[in-house]
Amino acid sequence: MTLNLKHHGAITGVTGSCHELTIGNQGILVDCGLFQGSDSQGRASASELAIEFPIDHIQALVVTHVHIDHVGRIPYLLAAGFEGPILCSEPSARLLPAMLEDALKIGFTRDHELIERVLGLISERTRAIPYNQWQPVFEDGDTALSIRLQRAGHILGSAYVECDARSGNARERIVFSGDLGAPGTPLIPSPEPPQACDRLILESTYGDRDHEHRDDRRHQLRTVIEQALDDGGTVLIPAFSLGRTQELLYELETLFHDNHGEPWRDLEIVVDSPLAANFTDLYRQLKPFWDEEALERVHAGRHPLSFEQLTVIDTHEDHVRAVDYLNDTGRPCVVLAGSGMCDGGRIVNYLKAMLGQPRNDVVFVGYQAEGTPGRDILRYGPRGGWVELDDERYTINAGIHQLSGFSAHAGRSDLLRFVNGIHPAPKEIRLVHGDPPAKEALASQLRDQTSARVTIPSR
Ligand SMILES: [Zn+2]
């Protein structure tokens, strides 16, 4: 079978996911995401984000989940003339417009009419497909491709993609992992490995390490907040507006439910992001896709994503006021704001105002890509170094913490369990979506544990 795999992104790092599967003369793309941090190599303007590879033969775009590094280039794909459907899970179809509207406003254009047109086009093209059901994508003579989405446990709506390729009598099963979640991610059922697969395209973000257990991480979050608030001040948590914010709210609701002393009695949680608030609303509407534990809480009368200590800040004026107020008063407060890697968004204003004072703390809960301010704060902050934000240096006297157990990504053991659960074992595993050391470490483990040919594609 003339089957071809190409990787247009997430090769040198973890962003810009875009993979192509071609059988004969037709193909699909899996994800079409933005590059961030040093992956972007200065690619920021519209012309530099334009799709630079041929797409005439692409019949469909399959979206694994709606994080911006997996969907952010969809407007550019449409601009390049892509006319096929956008296939994704039902929750992803609900979440996609909100994510792209935000991305369009920031990076694409300020022209509201154009934004509306692009969003209209994306809605028209989006086809929600149920989990665990085969869907034909194309058939051309004796060549055909069907796909099936399975839960990936990463964020609500996330999926890995099973592809059934047929050419004459030859058949091949290809699986794209997308981003795999860690077991025990709040609100979301854990991923199960695929039944069978000939080739696996596997993410490797944490291919070289494991996360702490989920109970530990809740305990860690509690400890870090209690310590941080001992001297007053603000705890800043840079968080992706989609996924991580809702997970954190879920864990914070648990902590409020279980703890009634200081600082919990008077503590306020602020979500300073209209986008995160919007996604939190959508998460609430998508309850049928929550896991059992979350639904049990709902039945018990609890509100995992909308508790009384939670305040949402919407307008820019209120945001500016909140930064000033918290900075002036030192009132204990936990602020969740994006972006998760501190390379933009409202978190930057908090950091500028608060990094200089030891009573404040920054708690990282997610991966910080090379070249982002988040990575620099994490690296240089604990030694009293500085970080550059909007071309200015800010000295870091605030406490800096990292909670690895909050990753929305599978750790090394989870990835190995996923692969070892596939029978018969894949013949080839391609590692993508990871920094080089993570990929190398995972490759060597996989070579030890499986019979698969493990490769690290460079294009
Ligand atoms: Zn993701």
Side-chain angles (χ1 to χ4, degrees):
M1 166 162 18
T2 48
L3 189 150
N4 214 328
L5 276 166
K6 282 186 195 152
H7 308 280
H8 303 296
I11 307 160
T12 53
V14 300
T15 70
S17 277
C18 185
H19 310 289
E20 179 183 334
L21 170 64
T22 307
I23 309 140
N25 300 320
Q26 301 193 29
I28 59 166
L29 290 180
V30 177
D31 291 335
C32 196
L34 274 190
F35 297 95
Q36 291 162 312
S38 54
D39 286 351
S40 62
Q41 295 166 348
R43 266 189 282 193
S45 74
S47 63
E48 287 155 334
L49 286 166
I51 300 293
E52 77 286 10
F53 49 87
I55 56 161
D56 289 349
H57 60 295
I58 299 297
Q59 303 300 312
L61 166 68
V62 185
V63 167
T64 62
H65 66 289
V66 314
H67 273 151
I68 203 67
D69 57 324
H70 291 255
V71 298
R73 276 174 106 193
I74 291 178
Y76 300 90
L77 186 65
L78 296 176
F82 171 69
E83 291 184 336
I86 301 167
L87 309 175
C88 62
S89 72
E90 293 168 63
S92 288
R94 292 284 302 280
L95 296 163
L96 183 64
M99 181 55 95
L100 286 179
E101 183 178 352
D102 187 68
L104 285 166
K105 278 186 199 154
I106 292 168
F108 195 70
T109 175
R110 294 216 171 115
D111 180 342
H112 281 283
E113 248 173 68
L114 182 58
I115 290 177
E116 288 303 312
R117 267 213 312 279
V118 175
L119 288 175
L121 200 57
I122 289 166
S123 296
E124 257 169 52
R125 299 284 184 79
T126 302
R127 255 177 47 208
I129 55 181
Y131 282 114
N132 199 22
Q133 262 183 42
W134 285 106
Q135 300 285 329
V137 179
F138 61 77
E139 195 161 357
D140 177 26
D142 61 356
T143 305
L145 180 79
S146 297
I147 63 158
R148 185 166 67 172
L149 301 182
Q150 301 285 10
R151 291 171 186 272
H154 172 60
I155 59 170
L156 209 60
S158 64
Y160 66 81
V161 188
E162 297 178 291
C163 302
D164 193 40
R166 203 158 36 81
S167 182
N169 292 327
R171 265 194 123 102
E172 198 173 314
R173 180 73 61 86
I174 305 103
V175 173
F176 295 87
S177 75
D179 289 0
L180 292 173
T185 300
L187 296 156
I188 303 166
S190 300
E192 300 288 335
Q195 284 165 351
C197 151
D198 298 297
R199 283 192 230 201
L200 172 64
I201 293 80
L202 180 66
E203 70 122 316
S204 54
T205 318
Y206 286 101
D208 55 351
R209 65 207 118 130
D210 273 320
H211 313 305
E212 291 102 295
H213 191 263
R214 182 174 169 198
D215 292 338
D216 292 346
R217 72 180 203 171
R218 190 174 293 160
H219 177 71
Q220 278 190 349
L221 180 66
R222 180 185 156 188
T223 310
V224 90
I225 288 178
E226 288 176 354
Q227 279 171 2
L229 293 176
D230 212 28
D231 55 353
T234 303
V235 177
L236 299 175
I237 309 186
F240 274 126
S241 48
L242 173 58
R244 201 71 45 83
T245 292
Q246 291 74 32
E247 278 174 44
L248 281 164
L249 292 178
Y250 186 87
E251 297 288 23
L252 288 165
E253 192 269 346
T254 313
L255 290 173
F256 278 114
H257 186 263
D258 298 345
N259 298 285
H260 303 283
E262 287 299 332
W264 300 96
R265 200 168 45 214
D266 305 313
L267 187 58
E268 214 178 323
I269 308 295
V270 169
V271 172
D272 191 346
S273 159
L275 184 64
N278 190 1
F279 283 133
T280 306
D281 274 343
L282 288 165
Y283 253 62
R284 276 188 224 120
Q285 293 167 28
L286 289 162
K287 271 197 196 80
F289 295 91
W290 289 11
D291 68 4
E292 271 170 43
E293 185 193 271
L295 290 173
E296 273 168 26
R297 290 187 184 188
V298 174
H299 292 314
R302 286 165 67 179
H303 301 280
L305 295 180
S306 55
F307 42 93
E308 59 173 313
Q309 298 86 346
L310 178 62
T311 304
V312 170
I313 294 180
D314 188 8
T315 67
H316 185 74
E317 293 73 52
D318 287 347
H319 157 66
V320 173
R321 261 198 292 274
V323 175
D324 289 345
Y325 173 75
L326 292 173
N327 202 28
D328 292 346
T329 59
R331 190 184 180 292
C333 182
V334 175
V335 176
L336 276 60
S339 72
M341 300 190 201
C342 310
D343 52 351
R346 291 182 176 180
I347 193 73
V348 175
N349 291 334
Y350 283 99
L351 292 167
K352 286 179 182 171
M354 295 182 176
L355 276 178
Q357 296 157 38
R359 70 163 186 246
N360 299 319
D361 294 81
V362 185
V363 177
F364 289 100
V365 289
Y367 190 83
Q368 303 300 309
E370 194 64 52
T372 59
R375 183 88 154 218
D376 289 344
I377 294 170
L378 203 50
R379 186 181 295 158
Y380 304 115
R383 315 177 214 158
W386 50 267
V387 61
E388 202 171 282
L389 299 165
D390 293 335
D391 301 324
E392 244 182 84
R393 284 185 183 187
Y394 292 84
T395 303
I396 305 165
N397 296 317
I400 306 298
H401 318 263
Q402 186 179 30
L403 301 183
S404 80
F406 273 86
S407 173
H409 284 272
R412 176 181 46 199
S413 309
D414 306 322
L415 292 169
L416 291 170
R417 211 172 301 123
F418 185 81
V419 173
N420 287 325
I422 306 172
H423 302 290
K427 296 181 196 72
E428 183 188 0
I429 301 173
R430 291 185 175 217
L431 298 183
V432 296
H433 200 287
D435 287 334
K439 281 193 277 206
E440 290 296 345
L442 185 62
S444 91
Q445 292 261 326
L446 287 168
R447 285 179 190 126
D448 285 348
Q449 295 190 16
T450 74
S451 54
R453 191 160 60 90
V454 182
T455 57
I456 298 176
S458 57
R459 46 185 293 178

